[in-house]
Amino acid sequence: MNGVILGLTLRLLVRQRRTLLLVILAALPVALALIFRLTGGSMDTNPDFAAGIMAHFIVALVLPLTALVVGTAALGQELEDGTFVYLVAKPLPRWRVVLAKVLAAWIVVAGVVVPSVVLAGVVILGGFQGERLIPAFVVAVLAGSLAYAALFLSLSVRFGRALIIGLAYVFVWEALISQFITGVRFLSVRAYTLGIAEAISDSPSRLLEVSLGATPAVILLALVCVGATAYAIRRLGGYQMSERV
């Protein structure tokens, strides 16, 4: 049954028109990388430009927006149109349903964002120094994708307007508040993702604007994943359609 739910959710997410828009969004960093190379980017600035594109465009914008759209749709769409009742009517533990949904969202988000990282990195870096940026950000994005997917899926279980709440989190909390208040900076999935990338790559923290070590970043990301998933499971345990507002 888990495989059936996973397969159905993957097809649901991939066939949506909004997924095509997400692919176009993920292609923008690659387009910028091509423009940079075609306009004669300097060998000395290539690693810095690549780190900036990956940190401030892909991780800060493409990743959370993709995860928001996919994560809220993975389960929220069924809750919204009422078809979820047919799924929970089956003798299947709620935790299996939630795990299958989170896994499906993770696969789609990673499938959209990871190629953006790889292609942008290859175009900018080519045979120059700094190639460690690519695997570093691939690992970081994979971890961040899971955390974002679980977080936004849990929002969709609680709120009918999860997309709006998620947008507020991405653009108000992570993009504004966490950038100006030092202590709050490390209360965001973005900071944890960049912390992993910084630890694996050889880029200085000034380029990524983060000083969170690998161990705290991994621990905090794991807490987000486990906490959000556990909350979604608990909410679905006594779920009522009228509870979402």
Side-chain angles (χ1 to χ4, degrees), residues 96-236:
R96 291 192 175 185
V97 175
V98 173
L99 289 183
K101 295 290 186 177
V102 171
L103 179 58
W106 183 30
I107 291 173
V108 174
V109 175
V112 171
V113 183
V114 169
S116 180
V117 171
V118 175
L119 292 175
V122 169
V123 170
I124 297 172
L125 297 174
F128 299 128
Q129 58 179 347
E131 292 88 345
R132 287 179 60 184
L133 276 173
I134 298 176
F137 271 91
V138 167
V139 173
V141 164
L142 285 172
S145 297
L146 179 58
Y148 274 123
L151 176 63
F152 292 135
L153 184 142
S154 68
L155 283 180
S156 71
V157 175
R158 176 60 182 87
F159 300 102
R161 298 179 179 87
L163 192 62
I164 297 176
I165 296 173
L167 286 173
Y169 170 78
V170 172
F171 288 109
V172 178
W173 183 265
E174 290 198 341
L176 293 177
I177 296 178
S178 66
Q179 297 305 303
F180 294 103
I181 303 178
T182 304
V184 175
R185 180 175 300 178
F186 303 121
L187 297 177
S188 71
V189 176
R190 173 187 177 186
Y192 311 152
T193 304
L194 291 177
I196 294 175
E198 177 195 349
I200 300 176
S201 70
D202 51 4
S203 294
S205 58
R206 63 177 176 81
L207 295 178
L208 305 184
E209 296 183 1
V210 65
S211 58
L212 188 65
T215 301
V218 171
I219 292 175
L220 291 170
L221 268 180
L223 288 176
V224 171
C225 295
V226 174
T229 303
Y231 177 79
I233 294 171
R234 181 178 179 181
R235 287 288 302 180
L236 287 181

